[in-house]
Amino acid sequence: MTASRTPEQDTHFGYETVPLGDKQARVDEVFHSVAGRYDLMNDLMSGGLHRAWKEAMVTAVNPPRSDKPFKLLDLAGGTGDIAQRVVDAGGAGLHVTVFDINANMLAVGRERAQKRSLDGVIDFIEGNAEELPFPDNSFDAVTIAFGIRNVPRIQSALDEAHRVLRIGGRFLCLEFSSVDTPGLDKLYELYSFNVIPRVGAAVTGDRAAYQYLVESIRKFPKPKAFAQMIEQAGFRRVSYTPMTGGVVALHSGWRL
Ligand code: SAM
């Protein structure tokens, strides 16, 4: 008997509709391909703005400046950019686990951390955010920056983030959002679809990866709908802050 596919089994890879089970492999290809040039591309595409957006998340994490123990899990942490920023902002008690499904992204991060002698402070672990290999209540904070829209089963990843966070801990998610400022929306649309894939092609040799990036941003839920998904995972006092006219949003929720 042939099993019939229900619409729930499909998802989006950019503008393409793909079986849910196929999305991760497609996403992995994108990040394998761009890993070496990933951080440079972030600066080029955002004109350096990604630094300010990430700093806003680090400020919200508010790591202790003392030797008080504080464990952060950075999901889809890639090359460890968030981890390094949190380490720079925090004290001697800080430990960051960078968790990502892509070995190439982690390898870039590991090398960078070694150069700064941060081996004991930042760990790099390969795995899927939909199924975390950590016990319940094991982190003081969980972050994810520009990662959640790449995860095929977003709700599973949110449920897992909630499970591993301690009671009283904070979840923070930085993600591209929807620009609804008149004038800026048109400009952003033109820039996204005309400039980003071309720059991506020139710098990484992979135009398709950056075409996926801009399409996946358009397919991601609106900030209010995403806040509801965070609430559905069990988080409380869920809020979000749009930045740069809604280009990105920082969502926050607490495990209470
Ligand atoms: N957080 C980093 C930053 O802000 O620079 C990297 C963000 S990068 C745009 C997206 C990352 O999500 C990639 O490193 C990719 O491998 C990771 N990713 C995609 N699907 C994942 C999954 N299911 N579980 C864990 N990481 C995933």
Side-chain angles (χ1 to χ4, degrees):
M1 197 174 75
T2 324
S4 64
R5 282 227 326 262
T6 64
E8 284 76 25
Q9 288 172 303
D10 284 337
T11 188
H12 291 288
F13 175 78
Y15 284 172
E16 249 183 271
T17 301
V18 297
L20 189 56
D22 291 2
K23 174 166 171 166
Q24 190 70 62
R26 301 280 301 273
V27 167
D28 292 350
E29 257 176 56
V30 167
F31 291 102
H32 276 304
S33 152
V34 304
R37 294 267 163 127
Y38 173 77
D39 292 288
L40 170 66
M41 266 306 288
N42 278 349
D43 271 329
L44 291 176
M45 282 183 316
S46 73
L49 271 173
H50 77 109
R51 293 166 182 262
W53 300 328
K54 286 173 173 171
E55 283 308 323
M57 184 158 86
V58 172
T59 302
V61 171
N62 193 22
R65 273 82 177 151
S66 64
D67 56 4
K68 185 178 169 209
F70 186 88
K71 286 170 71 182
L72 170 71
L73 172 64
D74 185 39
L75 294 172
T79 60
D81 199 21
I82 296 295
Q84 303 245 6
R85 288 170 194 278
V86 175
V87 167
D88 289 343
L94 190 64
H95 185 273
V96 186
T97 301
V98 175
F99 188 84
D100 198 286
I101 204 161
N102 195 302
N104 290 25
M105 294 288 280
L106 290 171
V108 173
R110 208 173 275 124
E111 196 182 317
R112 215 165 271 168
Q114 274 162 3
K115 277 192 188 139
R116 290 192 56 196
S117 306
L118 291 173
D119 310 47
V121 183
I122 307 179
D123 277 347
F124 292 85
I125 299 181
E126 191 179 330
N128 191 334
E130 296 167 355
E131 259 181 285
L132 297 177
F134 308 111
D136 298 358
N137 307 304
S138 43
F139 293 94
D140 296 291
V142 177
T143 51
I144 180 164
F146 306 115
I148 197 78
R149 74 174 191 288
N150 299 294
V151 174
R153 296 166 191 83
I154 293 177
Q155 197 64 55
S156 303
L158 295 174
D159 291 347
E160 281 291 84
H162 184 264
R163 180 183 66 74
V164 302
L165 194 59
R166 72 164 166 82
I167 314 284
R170 192 175 193 183
F171 170 72
L172 289 153
C173 176
L174 186 63
E175 189 49 270
F176 289 106
S177 194
S178 12
V179 174
D180 46 20
T181 311
L184 182 64
D185 51 358
K186 299 270 176 320
L187 209 65
Y188 180 56
E189 204 69 5
L190 278 171
Y191 175 72
S192 301
F193 285 93
N194 294 298
V195 180
I196 291 180
R198 285 199 179 101
V199 177
V203 176
T204 69
D206 190 343
R207 185 191 173 102
Y210 285 88
Q211 185 69 28
Y212 159 72
L213 170 89
V214 292
E215 291 179 3
S216 64
I217 292 169
R218 298 309 179 284
K219 284 290 176 192
F220 190 67
K222 299 263 185 254
K224 203 169 166 188
F226 183 51
Q228 282 164 358
M229 294 175 76
I230 296 174
E231 271 168 2
Q232 209 177 311
F235 289 104
R236 296 292 168 256
R237 288 167 54 200
V238 174
S239 60
Y240 60 89
T241 312
M243 289 186 265
T244 319
V247 172
V248 303
L250 178 63
H251 280 75
S252 162
W254 295 82
R255 180 165 186 198
L256 297 177

